[in-house]
């Protein structure tokens, strides 16, 4: 029997040159934890736990994991949880993005190295679900993705507040002098008040929806609020399903394929999802040997309507989406565009799931296919002399008045330069200029932070300017909004055209033509390139060196070159 087919603790024995001794020793040590022989003879379901004191979004995981265990035990397997790296979005420096691949390596290797026949991946905060799916695809053991679930919004002075679109809205008002220091402190305590992930269609909610759309999470579990009893029932069902998969394997490589990735892209567009999800889905697909072409994204975007009315582009919160029918209701509206024969981890095809889903839907939150919020998807890829390998704009979160525009570049050479000068009253900047941030991409030393939402210079903010064209090789939080061009590739730190932009250059943006052009003669660009020097000294050791040596550009999902499937 091949090792991967062995049951429970007999799988993947530590090698002492005597397999019978290895098993006897393992069982003996396992018995020190009080397990009976009967329990130790069962198939094992691992539970990848990404709880951490540095991750507020996962604070309910102990309760969630108890429910997973209940499901596993009820189905006749043995649940064993194990810790992995956790990535709490706002607790990591320079940015959680730098560590997504580290978590993916951890998840993959611990799934492979420890004796389990299936695994439940418990994650939620932005980078955790992509990291878990990347790792699980590479390990290719049967896996069920269990989502943390979104936070609940709070009622505050007659208004609903939720992390983190409202965080940014109030901070912009504070910067413009409309909210006092005392008021912002009170608001600070009312933005994120329950367990769970950010309450809007940010990156975490987008990745949860994608996990369901691609078939790796159980039906209609993506949007269940973290504190809802249904979340615990979803955990129990995920445990039960993983126990079934331990005996009758259905592997991630049978779920994630060209068709299911396209379904996930359709859902990303229809929900007005986060720009970050393009990077993450590209990385997940790359682990299955599937390439996401940004030109293909544009053609899907042109034919996928936006159906969900959630912040940051709309009105509602993720908990409203669940009450309105959930992600399955969105999938059902998209039925004419989806590959319905895709198998899901539940053992049912997408068609079977959608046919069985209750028909009720709240049309205030999930629109009908034939009367969408917008007839086109929320994201577009731009190409041109400033971004030969592409850039991303979330048009659904942008000001359409700025879509066909030429402007003067006001350049910041780094995040430190931005912080030092953006609010300088002497900064030469006008409302119709284009703000350009260089050296914030994957290899910049900042590891592509969510810094693409450049603040409006305070003198313009105070004069009432709410949006400007902003261009960078950084990312943007899924909870942010504005006419913000991101993920410019190749990035400035490797000498891409973005590195060659100077104050006063003209840049042309055309969303209609999908163009981003630097209007500088080629001869002048050649001279600038000849004088260009890399902005960072490569790290000498440790994970930072591994990251810098192997991280790929945004259009390859910022995965490491040696981790993608050949
Ligand atoms: Fe965890 Fe927003 S901080 S999802």
């Amino acid at each position: 029997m091949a090792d991967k087919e062995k049951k429970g603790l007999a799988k993947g024995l530590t090698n002492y040159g005597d397999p019978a001794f290895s098993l006897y020793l393992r069982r003996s040590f396992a018995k020190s934890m009080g397990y009976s022989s009967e329990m130790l003879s069962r198939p094992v379901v691992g539970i990848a736990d990404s709880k951490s004191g540095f991750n507020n979004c996962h604070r309910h995981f102990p309760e969630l994991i108890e429910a997973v265990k209940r499901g596993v035990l009820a189905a006749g397997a043995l649940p064993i949880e194990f810790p992995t790296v956790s990535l709490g979005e706002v607790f990591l420096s320079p940015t959680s993005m730098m560590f997504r691949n580290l978590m993916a390596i951890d998840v993959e290797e611990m799934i492979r190295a420890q004796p389990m026949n299936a695994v439940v991946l418990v994650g939620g905060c932005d980078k955790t679900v992509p990291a878990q799916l990347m790792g699980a695809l590479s390990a290719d053991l049967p896996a069920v993705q269990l989502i943390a679930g979104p936070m609940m919004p709070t009622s505050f002075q007659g208004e609903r507040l939720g992390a983190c679109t409202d965080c940014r809205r109030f901070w912009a008002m504070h910067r413009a002098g409309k909210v006092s220091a005392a008021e912002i402190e009170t608001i600070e305590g009312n933005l994120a008040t329950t367990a769970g992930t950010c309450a809007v269609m940010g990156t975490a909610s987008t990745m949860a929806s994608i996990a369901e759309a691609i078939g790796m999470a159980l039906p209609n579990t993506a949007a269940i609020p973290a504190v809802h009893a249904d979340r615990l029932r979803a955990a129990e069902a995920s445990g039960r399903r993983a126990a079934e998969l331990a005996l009758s394997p259905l592997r991630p490589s049978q779920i994630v394929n060209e068709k299911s990735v396209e379904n996930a892209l359709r859902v990303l567009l229809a929900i007005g999802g986060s720009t970050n999800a393009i990077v993450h889905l590209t990385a997940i697909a790359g682990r299955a040997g599937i390439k996401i072409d940004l030109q293909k994204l544009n053609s899907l975007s042109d034919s996928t309507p936006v159906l969900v009315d959630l912040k940051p582009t709309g009105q509602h919160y993720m908990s409203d989406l669940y009450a309105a029918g959930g992600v399955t209701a969105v999938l059902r509206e998209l039925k004419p565009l989806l590959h319905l024969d895709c198998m899901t981890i539940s053992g049912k095809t997408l068609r079977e799931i959608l046919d069985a889903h209750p028909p009720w839907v709240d049309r205030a939150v999930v629109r009908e296919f034939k009367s969408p919020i917008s007839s086109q998807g929320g994201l577009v890829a731009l190409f041109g002399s400033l971004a030969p390998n592409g850039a991303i704009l979330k048009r659904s979160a942008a000001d359409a008045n700025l879509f066909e525009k030429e402007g003067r570049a006001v350049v910041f050479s780094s995040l430190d330069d931005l912080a030092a000068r953006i609010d300088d009253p002497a900064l030469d900047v006008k409302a119709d200029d284009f703000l350009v941030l260089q050296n914030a991409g994957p290899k910049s030393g900042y590891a592509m932070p969510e810094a693409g939402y450049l603040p409006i210079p305070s003198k313009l903010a105070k004069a009432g300017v709410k949006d400007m064209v902003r261009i960078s090789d950084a990312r943007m939080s899924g909870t942010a909004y504005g006419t913000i061009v991101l993920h410019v590739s190749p990035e400035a730190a490797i000498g891409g055209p973005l590195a060659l932009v100077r104050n006063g250059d003209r840049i042309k943006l055309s969303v209609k033509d999908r163009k981003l052009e630097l209007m500088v003669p080629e001869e002048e660009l050649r001279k600038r390139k000849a004088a260009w020097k890399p902005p960072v000294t490569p790290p000498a050791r440790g994970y930072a060196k591994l990251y810098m040596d192997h991280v790929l550009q945004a259009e390859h999902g910022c995965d490491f070159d040696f981790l993608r499937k050949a």
Side-chain angles (χ1 to χ4, degrees):
M1 184 189 292
D3 184 66
K4 68 180 182 185
E5 288 159 16
K6 287 186 181 152
K7 202 168 73 169
L9 291 196
K11 189 173 170 238
L13 290 171
T14 315
N15 198 342
Y16 301 108
D18 178 350
F21 171 75
S22 296
L23 182 56
Y24 147 78
L25 196 68
R26 178 176 284 176
R27 291 172 65 88
S28 165
F29 278 54
K31 281 187 172 171
S32 78
M33 294 185 274
Y35 290 116
S36 64
S37 295
E38 190 275 322
M39 278 291 164
L40 295 181
S41 68
R42 293 182 176 199
V44 172
V45 172
I47 304 170
D49 179 5
S50 56
K51 181 180 179 302
S52 159
F54 289 107
N55 194 335
N56 58 293
C57 300
H58 296 186
R59 75 167 150 98
H60 58 312
F61 276 18
E63 192 185 22
L64 212 49
I65 284 171
E66 279 312 305
V68 176
K69 287 182 174 174
R70 191 163 71 226
V72 173
L73 286 168
L78 173 64
I80 302 183
E81 81 252 49
F82 60 99
T84 69
V85 167
S86 182
L87 303 174
E89 185 59 24
V90 299
F91 294 96
L92 288 149
S93 173
T95 165
S96 63
M97 187 63 193
M98 179 163 168
F99 303 102
R100 183 203 64 184
N101 295 349
L102 178 66
M103 181 171 176
I105 290 173
D106 181 6
V107 169
E108 174 184 346
E109 297 303 336
M110 288 304 101
I111 289 175
R112 194 180 280 126
Q114 298 175 127
M116 63 189 83
N117 302 104
V119 62
V120 179
L121 309 160
V122 193
C125 195
D126 286 21
K127 310 299 176 297
T128 58
V129 169
Q132 289 178 330
L133 289 175
M134 289 161 72
L137 259 160
S138 293
D140 208 22
L141 190 79
V144 180
Q145 179 74 60
L146 175 63
I147 302 293
M151 289 181 209
M152 297 301 292
T154 310
S155 190
F156 176 69
Q157 295 184 352
E159 197 183 346
R160 286 175 97 199
L161 296 189
C164 214
T165 303
D166 295 322
C167 319
R168 292 171 200 285
R169 181 165 59 87
F170 279 108
W171 191 251
M173 287 162 70
H174 178 52
R175 280 180 58 79
K178 295 190 179 118
V179 169
S180 71
E183 285 168 325
I184 202 80
E185 194 180 332
T186 310
I187 290 161
E188 181 184 291
N190 285 280
L191 287 164
T193 55
T194 75
T197 54
C198 286
V200 299
M201 189 51 84
T203 304
S205 299
T206 306
M207 291 313 303
S209 306
I210 282 176
E212 183 177 327
I214 212 166
M216 288 297 295
L218 290 184
N220 215 26
T221 55
I224 305 170
V227 297
H228 197 300
D230 281 352
R231 176 56 60 200
L232 295 171
R233 282 185 276 275
E236 184 184 306
S238 298
R240 189 181 277 274
R241 179 61 189 148
E244 291 165 6
L245 290 168
L247 294 173
S248 168
L250 178 60
R251 295 174 183 277
S253 56
Q254 295 165 269
I255 305 290
V256 177
N257 54 40
E258 297 253 6
K259 287 180 175 179
S260 63
V261 168
E262 191 173 309
N263 286 347
L265 279 167
R266 292 277 191 196
V267 167
L268 164 62
L269 293 161
I271 60 180
S274 161
T275 48
N276 285 323
I278 288 284
V279 176
H280 298 319
L281 185 55
T282 300
I284 292 164
R287 295 301 183 99
I290 298 161
K291 179 166 168 42
I292 292 183
D293 178 355
L294 291 179
Q295 301 283 8
K296 171 89 182 280
L297 171 76
N298 278 342
S299 77
L300 292 176
S301 193
D302 288 344
S303 57
T304 307
V306 177
L307 298 173
V308 176
D309 185 16
L310 249 62
K311 292 187 177 203
T313 54
Q315 296 303 310
H316 299 94
Y317 293 90
M318 198 65 179
S319 51
D320 301 324
L321 174 59
Y322 182 58
V327 170
T328 311
V330 183
L331 285 161
R332 193 176 45 208
E333 289 305 316
L334 285 174
K335 227 171 153 180
L337 301 179
L338 298 178
H339 300 286
L340 298 173
D341 53 342
C342 284
M343 179 50 67
T344 73
I345 205 68
S346 68
K348 297 190 173 73
T349 63
L350 189 54
R351 177 181 285 104
E352 288 169 328
I353 290 168
L354 299 187
D355 287 349
H357 189 63
W360 189 83
V361 56
D362 181 351
R363 291 293 178 204
V365 182
V366 180
R367 300 287 175 83
E368 238 182 315
F369 186 79
K370 56 181 192 257
S371 54
I373 292 162
S374 150
S375 59
Q376 295 186 315
L379 304 175
V380 283
L382 306 170
F383 300 89
S385 58
L386 187 49
N389 296 340
I392 296 287
L393 171 77
K394 186 173 181 179
R395 63 179 163 188
S396 58
D399 180 353
N401 294 317
L402 301 177
F403 283 3
E404 309 301 321
K405 191 172 158 58
E406 192 182 310
R408 182 184 72 141
V410 175
V411 181
F412 300 91
S413 62
S414 68
L415 282 161
D416 294 338
D417 183 34
L418 175 74
R421 293 195 298 120
I422 189 76
D423 290 335
D424 183 346
L427 181 69
D428 179 13
V429 64
K430 298 191 209 63
D432 58 357
D433 288 337
F434 287 13
L435 302 179
V436 175
L437 172 65
Q438 299 168 323
N439 297 313
K443 284 179 178 276
S444 64
Y446 299 102
M448 207 182 184
E450 291 183 338
Y453 178 75
L454 276 67
I456 303 293
S458 70
K459 68 178 180 184
L460 296 181
K462 284 181 181 144
V465 176
K466 294 209 164 52
D467 196 6
M468 295 173 73
V469 175
R470 288 160 269 181
I471 300 170
S472 75
D473 45 14
R475 295 175 302 114
M476 172 174 88
S477 164
T479 60
Y481 46 87
T483 309
I484 297 173
V485 178
L486 302 153
H487 310 177
V488 169
S489 177
E491 65 172 299
I494 60 169
L498 184 68
L500 310 180
V501 185
R502 299 289 176 264
N503 278 324
D505 286 351
R506 307 292 295 177
I507 295 174
K508 191 170 178 187
L509 168 69
S510 172
V511 176
K512 175 169 59 73
D513 296 335
R514 313 285 188 258
K515 287 287 184 199
L516 187 66
E517 303 285 0
L518 178 57
M519 316 287 282
V520 174
E522 275 187 28
E523 183 50 37
E524 171 61 19
L525 290 177
R526 263 195 295 277
K527 271 193 231 157
R528 292 182 192 176
K529 183 73 193 255
W532 176 82
K533 291 198 174 50
V536 276
T537 311
R541 62 170 298 283
Y543 177 72
K545 177 168 168 50
L546 183 77
Y547 173 90
M548 194 64 100
D549 288 349
H550 296 285
V551 72
L552 296 166
Q553 294 290 285
E555 71 272 20
H556 302 300
C558 300
D559 202 357
F560 290 164
D561 49 10
F562 63 91
L563 292 175
R564 294 192 309 162
K565 189 169 178 183

